[in-house]
Each structure stands twice: as C-alpha cells, then as structure tokens.
Amino acid sequence: MNIFISDKLPTFEQFASLHEASGLIKSKKGNYTREQLYQAANNSWYHISIYDQDQLIAFGRMISDGIYQALICDVMVDPTYQKQGLGKQIVEELIMKCKNSGIQSIQLFSAKGKQHFYKKLGFDEREQDAPGMTLIL
C-alpha cells in the first residue's frame, strides 16, 4: 500500500465511489443526490482524505464556526480497508485541527452501532436529560 493523507477535497468521482462503497449514503436521512452530498463536503470547514495511491479509501469532514464548536460528519472507510486504523486516523486528524484552532467542543453524528468506536476515541454519549434533537423536513 502507498498511503497518503490530504486535506484537499477529493474529486467528485472519488467521493461518490467511497460514499457508495462505505454504505454511508444508505444511512442518510432525506433524499440527497450524490452531487448534493459532494457540495456539502465542499462547504465543510475542514475535511481530511486518505488515499491508497489515487484511490480514496477514507474520508471525514467537519462543520464549524471556527471558534468554539465543531461537528464531525461523514467519517467513512472503504470496507476493504476497514479494521486497519484508518477511521481512527481520520477522527484524530479532525480532533487535531480543532485543538490547533482552539476549539474545545466537538460533537458528532454516529452511524448506528458505531458508538463504541467513538467511545474508544474519547467521545461520550450525551446525557439522557440533555439529548440531542433532530428535525427532518
């Protein structure tokens, strides 16, 4: 493997391919096109990509005010490359960007069944008396 990390947005084709392969597109609430999801990634405050040569194999992004709040979204790893620490590496890079920017509060949306992964990285579930809320239009 020839692995490298970049903070440049991958091409639409690379992004759409990983989104499909990872299964993340199936878990989205709402009906979004691949083009809309790519535009969302492009509008992010920060994103990180891991490649094996020219193949995008892992990706994650954050939205933020750049001062005190950040939200991690769309952490995805190609199934062929899972269980190799790439997801952890993506999250650690996103956390490092927050630390370097002085952001102290990081939230995230977790895919079903992935809470344990994020707990190992230091995240806590929200308290029962202060749950996150969602409104789907």
Side-chain angles (χ1 to χ4, degrees):
M1 285 195 307
N2 186 13
I3 302 289
F4 72 95
I5 299 173
S6 173
D7 62 357
K8 306 267 188 286
L9 189 68
T11 67
F12 170 76
E13 292 78 16
Q14 291 168 323
F15 180 82
S17 178
L18 180 59
H19 224 280
E20 288 284 335
S22 71
L24 189 61
I25 198 164
K26 294 175 188 167
S27 69
K28 295 285 184 218
K29 306 266 192 258
N31 297 313
Y32 298 100
T33 66
R34 296 176 343 155
E35 290 79 12
Q36 288 172 315
L37 295 173
Y38 184 70
Q39 185 62 46
N42 189 48
N43 290 341
S44 298
W45 178 66
Y46 185 72
H47 38 75
I48 195 80
S49 303
I50 300 178
Y51 295 86
D52 183 357
Q53 295 183 31
D54 63 348
Q55 180 187 353
L56 179 66
I57 59 172
F59 177 86
R61 69 184 184 98
M62 288 189 299
I63 54 179
S64 177
D65 56 26
I67 304 297
Y68 79 98
Q69 291 278 352
L71 173 68
I72 294 176
C73 338
D74 297 340
V75 174
M76 52 186 157
V77 178
D78 184 302
T80 309
Y81 292 85
Q82 289 179 358
K83 308 278 191 233
Q84 298 181 33
L86 298 175
K88 177 182 179 186
Q89 191 172 1
I90 288 286
V91 174
E92 287 173 345
E93 291 282 340
L94 296 173
I95 291 170
M96 186 58 62
K97 173 67 174 175
C98 289
K99 284 181 181 177
N100 291 341
S101 300
I103 294 172
Q104 299 174 22
S105 179
I106 305 171
Q107 310 297 315
L108 67 84
F109 291 124
S110 170
K112 270 187 192 171
K114 299 295 184 185
Q115 297 92 322
H116 182 68
F117 168 77
Y118 292 106
K119 281 184 179 183
K120 290 191 300 186
L121 296 173
F123 287 87
D124 294 318
E125 291 187 45
R126 294 180 62 100
E127 297 94 22
Q128 291 297 317
D129 62 348
M133 308 285 290
T134 301
L135 172 65
I136 305 295
L137 303 176

